[in-house]
Amino acid sequence: MALALVGARLVDGTGAPPRDGVVVTIENGRIASVEDAPPPEAETLDVEGTTLLPGLVDAHVHLSSLDVEAPADVEEYALADAARRMLEAGITTVRDLGSYGRSLFRLRDAIRLGFCPGPRLVLCGRVIAATCPGARAFPGMYREADGADELRKAVREQVREGADLVKVMATGALTVAEDVEPAQLTREELDAVVAESHRLGYMVAAHAEGLEGIRFSVEAGVDTLEHGELGFRAPEVLAAMAERAIVLVPTLSVFDFVTESERFPAWMRERAKELGESARKTVEAARREGVELAMGADAPPHGANARELVRLVEAGLSPMEGIVAATSAAARASGLENEIGTVEPGKVADLLVVDGDALADVRVLCDRDRIRVVLQAGEIVGHPEWADSSRPGLGAPDPHA
Ligand SMILES: [Zn+2]
């Protein structure tokens, strides 16, 4: 039986103007139609007074950066818990850009098989990097490799493990003994990573904070650029990104997270503050140049991912642009633009329904109490009361009954 969500204000993720009082009908896990009246055979769910959007997509997460204390022997359960919290917050797809061992591959597959709740996970596995200090800061997360042949091998290893995309460090990160200039990989090395990944059919996400690494990444033709905060100094490079349709994932939240967290040393917090200011300048500059921006929080707490959307809006995006960044643009960054990220017939019915008008105030997307219902592939997953009372009939919670 089809299910029709009736009466919401639709913000469909494409950037098109909102439509009021629409009826979104779901059948067999996909969006069957977006109309003004329900087809007669559909069961209905009244969602008047809400905004209906595509499920949110976070294009830069590290699930392994846990926000809870988890002894090693229960860590996989903590990862599953983080995944569930994100799904309940309306994050229906997550691109994870660096993890340890095989835990996340197991979690991704368990979620796919329906053994535990969580967003669709798109994984890079380990991060490919030059031999570098960062590998000591994150022991086990990096696959260090030097020279074109070894880098090609590192790409193939991630594919062997079951990665969905390839992540590469074009520059250092904000950690001990690293700076964001110069680029860590040579242009030739980065070219080898990109060429081998693309040859095998995998997208490439490049961590690039300093200008040289940003430039190399853009020239090498990566698919997404992570952080990119010093890009504002070279508008011509941002213009080239727009030209090549490379998505920028500014990760404003991670700079704020480090700045505000007592657990980092003072020098690192100070540096994060400066880089965060640069990142905001780059958001403005990239927007001017027409670069597509995607939401990626990069930092815990898991489930509060949409605060990145709020920060993007505070940094100069319109609320509509922020929602596009968190839906269709992040879907494209994840290589899933044909399946998710917009509310259009044929797309997978990953949907988020929030109380109030998300365009008037995007902060409602971070407010757990405002989340009315989350659907994943047409199934209500994110609102236990509604899910319980409405399954299997789904017509149950009728406020007018
Ligand atoms: Zn990251």
Side-chain angles (χ1 to χ4, degrees):
M1 177 66 92
L3 168 68
L5 304 176
V6 180
R9 161 170 266 211
L10 173 67
V11 177
D12 69 7
T14 66
R19 285 170 64 183
D20 287 312
V22 296
V23 177
V24 175
T25 304
I26 298 157
E27 206 161 7
N28 300 322
R30 290 190 182 255
I31 296 162
S33 65
V34 181
E35 308 280 354
D36 295 321
E41 72 278 16
E43 300 212 37
T44 60
L45 194 59
D46 186 340
V47 287
E48 214 172 305
T50 67
T51 307
L52 191 161
L53 317 100
L56 302 183
V57 179
D58 191 323
H60 191 136
V61 166
H62 299 274
L63 260 151
S64 311
S65 300
L66 285 170
D67 44 352
V68 291
E69 285 296 326
D73 57 349
V74 295
E75 196 184 284
E76 295 207 349
Y77 293 92
L79 290 172
D81 172 68
R84 179 187 50 77
R85 279 186 275 135
M86 286 196 277
L87 181 64
E88 288 178 352
I91 316 298
T92 50
T93 298
V94 160
R95 188 176 69 144
D96 188 282
L97 290 188
S99 59
Y100 304 87
R102 292 206 49 83
S103 296
L104 280 195
F105 290 111
R106 285 193 285 268
L107 179 59
R108 175 193 65 189
D109 297 346
I111 290 169
R112 263 185 202 160
L113 293 167
F115 294 133
C116 59
R120 174 196 329 263
L121 297 183
V122 178
L123 308 178
C124 75
R126 292 166 80 189
V127 177
I128 296 173
T131 298
C132 63
R136 292 183 65 201
F138 303 99
M141 189 193 278
Y142 285 21
R143 179 358 178 147
E144 292 170 282
D146 303 288
D149 277 345
E150 209 179 318
L151 282 155
R152 277 189 281 267
K153 181 167 188 183
V155 168
R156 291 170 191 173
E157 283 175 2
Q158 305 319 304
V159 171
R160 176 184 65 194
E161 292 301 305
D164 302 298
L165 80 150
V166 167
K167 159 93 176 278
V168 63
M169 299 297 285
T171 74
L174 178 56
T175 185
V176 178
E178 288 210 333
D179 199 354
V180 299
E181 302 284 2
Q184 278 187 337
L185 291 169
T186 66
R187 181 58 211 284
E188 186 196 22
E189 287 173 320
L190 201 53
D191 283 351
V193 170
V194 174
E196 188 61 6
S197 302
H198 285 173
R199 192 180 71 77
L200 296 172
Y202 290 77
M203 293 174 79
V204 179
H207 169 117
E209 300 190 59
L211 258 191
E212 190 180 41
I214 294 172
R215 211 170 252 132
F216 282 4
S217 299
V218 173
E219 287 169 5
V222 302
D223 299 284
T224 69
L225 196 93
E226 310 304 313
H227 319 299
E229 69 270 16
L230 296 181
F232 76 96
R233 290 181 182 161
E236 75 282 3
V237 178
L238 297 175
M241 279 184 75
E243 170 104 2
R244 292 173 172 221
I246 297 169
V247 181
L248 175 64
V249 189
T251 67
L252 301 177
S253 300
V254 80
F255 298 110
D256 293 358
F257 175 76
V258 175
T259 303
E260 289 158 15
S261 174
E262 304 265 316
R263 73 184 207 214
F264 296 106
W267 70 265
M268 201 187 279
R269 295 174 61 185
E270 193 51 45
R271 185 82 180 116
K273 190 160 182 276
E274 291 164 15
L275 293 175
E277 283 160 15
S278 294
R280 286 167 166 89
K281 287 182 198 164
T282 295
V283 166
E284 278 187 57
R287 180 177 182 265
R288 268 199 303 278
E289 298 295 338
V291 177
E292 191 168 18
L293 300 170
M295 177 179 86
D298 194 12
H302 300 310
N305 311 57
R307 75 203 185 294
E308 176 70 13
L309 191 172
V310 174
R311 287 185 169 117
L312 287 170
V313 170
E314 287 166 356
L317 267 57
S318 70
M320 183 62 91
E321 289 168 343
I323 289 172
V324 167
T327 55
S328 57
R332 197 165 78 74
S334 306
L336 292 169
E337 69 274 21
N338 293 327
E339 285 289 279
I340 59 161
T342 63
V343 182
E344 294 176 297
K347 289 281 176 83
V348 174
D350 286 0
L351 301 170
L352 170 60
V353 179
V354 293
D355 278 322
D357 184 353
L359 280 177
D361 183 2
V362 290
R363 287 173 302 182
V364 301
L365 295 167
C366 307
D367 184 348
R368 288 288 282 109
D369 296 333
R370 299 279 204 128
I371 292 179
R372 285 279 284 277
V373 58
V374 179
L375 290 107
Q376 189 179 41
E379 297 287 325
I380 293 178
V381 289
H383 198 294
E385 297 90 328
W386 281 38
D388 290 344
S389 61
S390 62
R391 283 278 157 199
L394 286 171
D398 180 358
H400 307 301

